[in-house]
Amino acid sequence: MEASDIIASLAAIAHDMRLKVFRLLVRVGPEGLASGEIARRLQTPASTMSAHLAILARTGLIQAHRDSRVVNYAIAPDAVRDLFAALVSDCCDGRPDLCGPLLAPAKTCKPRTTKTGRKP
């Protein structure tokens, strides 16, 4: 990944609302959400949300999929993985044993559960 791509991706999520969008889409997973639902959940006008989604989509961190008249957005796992890999590619001068703690949180993703222990 080129430095300019890394910078563009980080710049896109270095905004309060776009970071909220990104984290929401990470939570919901590959099925994604309709743009209107994202705006509703984050209490943002649809036109404003559209601009934020376009910025994130241009970086490739999220992808848009049209379903009739509805545009759904979902996280682009490969692009996110590429960004993370690029950020830590020189970790500890090529000693992966030292990078384990840095990468451990990404490897321990678990399904969310409710207070009763069930998946939502």
Side-chain angles (χ1 to χ4, degrees), residues 6-84:
I6 296 169
I7 292 167
S9 294
L10 294 175
I13 58 176
H15 180 279
D16 183 54
M17 183 54 66
R18 289 191 296 270
L19 180 59
K20 288 177 184 177
V21 170
F22 180 80
R23 295 185 75 186
L24 173 62
L25 292 176
V26 167
R27 276 194 308 276
V28 300
E31 59 275 359
L33 290 172
S35 56
E37 179 61 15
I38 296 168
R40 186 190 67 74
R41 288 190 188 191
L42 297 178
Q43 300 175 348
T44 302
S47 59
T48 302
M49 184 55 64
S50 178
H52 290 307
L53 291 167
I55 290 167
L56 287 166
R58 275 194 298 275
T59 67
L61 293 173
I62 67 171
Q63 298 173 332
H65 302 281
R66 183 170 289 281
D67 183 17
S68 187
R69 294 175 50 188
V70 176
V71 179
N72 291 301
Y73 288 87
I75 201 74
D78 291 339
V80 174
R81 193 174 13 258
D82 289 348
L83 175 61
F84 290 166

